[in-house]
Amino acid sequence: MQVNMYTMRTTPSTTTATPQRAHSTHKIRTDVVLGSPSANCGGVGICRVMASGENLDVKCPRVATWVSVTEEGKMRFEFEKASMEGRYMRRHFRWLLFQVFEPYLVPHSLLRSQKIEQRTIRPGIYQVWEVDDRLIVEF
């Protein structure tokens, strides 16, 4: 997979950063519910990750997301901007930073080749790359 330099806006001036190369061209199409699990998907972070089109009783808005793994073993989430309302973009991706307050374990059924540690999204503040129609976060 060819990875180009992405432009990251962090201040009024522009800086550049290089995301990790994808481990393979294998991407998994998922639906992600943003928010904190303990807040019934309110707040910020990752509340739930499920297979695309999986029909679970989830009333919270879903965001179409491609998930892959970088060469360094990080999970890469590519959130499709067109699949989320502007208020969710502002709440979760403001200042091109993505906050996670609670750990989240991506289901084994989605990332079978990864160990528990590699499937765990840990609390922290993560950089966001805005690339065309996607917002990319590496955990």
Side-chain angles (χ1 to χ4, degrees):
M1 176 172 134
Q2 187 70 15
V3 177
N4 297 324
M5 295 291 287
Y6 296 132
T7 301
M8 177 187 71
R9 288 175 277 161
T10 56
T11 63
S13 63
T14 302
T15 59
T16 58
T18 306
Q20 307 297 320
R21 287 191 178 271
H23 182 65
S24 69
T25 57
H26 183 71
K27 291 183 181 181
I28 302 164
R29 177 72 170 193
T30 66
D31 289 327
V32 173
V33 176
L34 299 172
S36 294
S38 69
N40 199 23
C41 297
V44 296
I46 302 290
C47 187
R48 188 168 201 165
V49 179
M50 60 201 98
S52 180
E54 189 174 340
N55 196 11
L56 295 176
D57 189 24
V58 177
K59 294 178 181 16
C60 302
R62 300 176 183 199
V63 178
T65 307
W66 290 95
V67 177
S68 59
V69 178
T70 68
E71 289 178 355
E72 287 75 18
K74 292 183 178 183
M75 284 182 287
R76 174 184 287 163
F77 280 49
E78 298 181 30
F79 300 95
E80 293 183 1
K81 293 191 293 188
S83 71
M84 90 179 87
E85 294 179 28
R87 65 183 170 142
Y88 292 108
M89 285 182 59
R90 288 186 298 277
R91 179 186 301 157
H92 298 280
F93 300 94
R94 187 174 299 209
W95 303 295
L96 292 178
L97 297 172
F98 188 85
Q99 294 182 321
V100 176
F101 290 120
E102 296 179 42
Y104 179 79
L105 180 62
V106 175
H108 180 263
S109 61
L110 296 176
L111 292 175
R112 288 192 171 109
S113 64
Q114 303 302 305
K115 297 177 183 176
I116 288 177
E117 309 84 54
Q118 296 167 315
R119 292 186 291 116
T120 301
I121 296 173
R122 290 171 178 49
I125 299 174
Y126 297 89
Q127 180 177 347
V128 176
W129 288 279
E130 187 171 4
V131 181
D132 300 324
D133 62 343
R134 298 187 182 174
L135 295 167
I136 300 172
V137 181
E138 291 179 352
F139 300 101

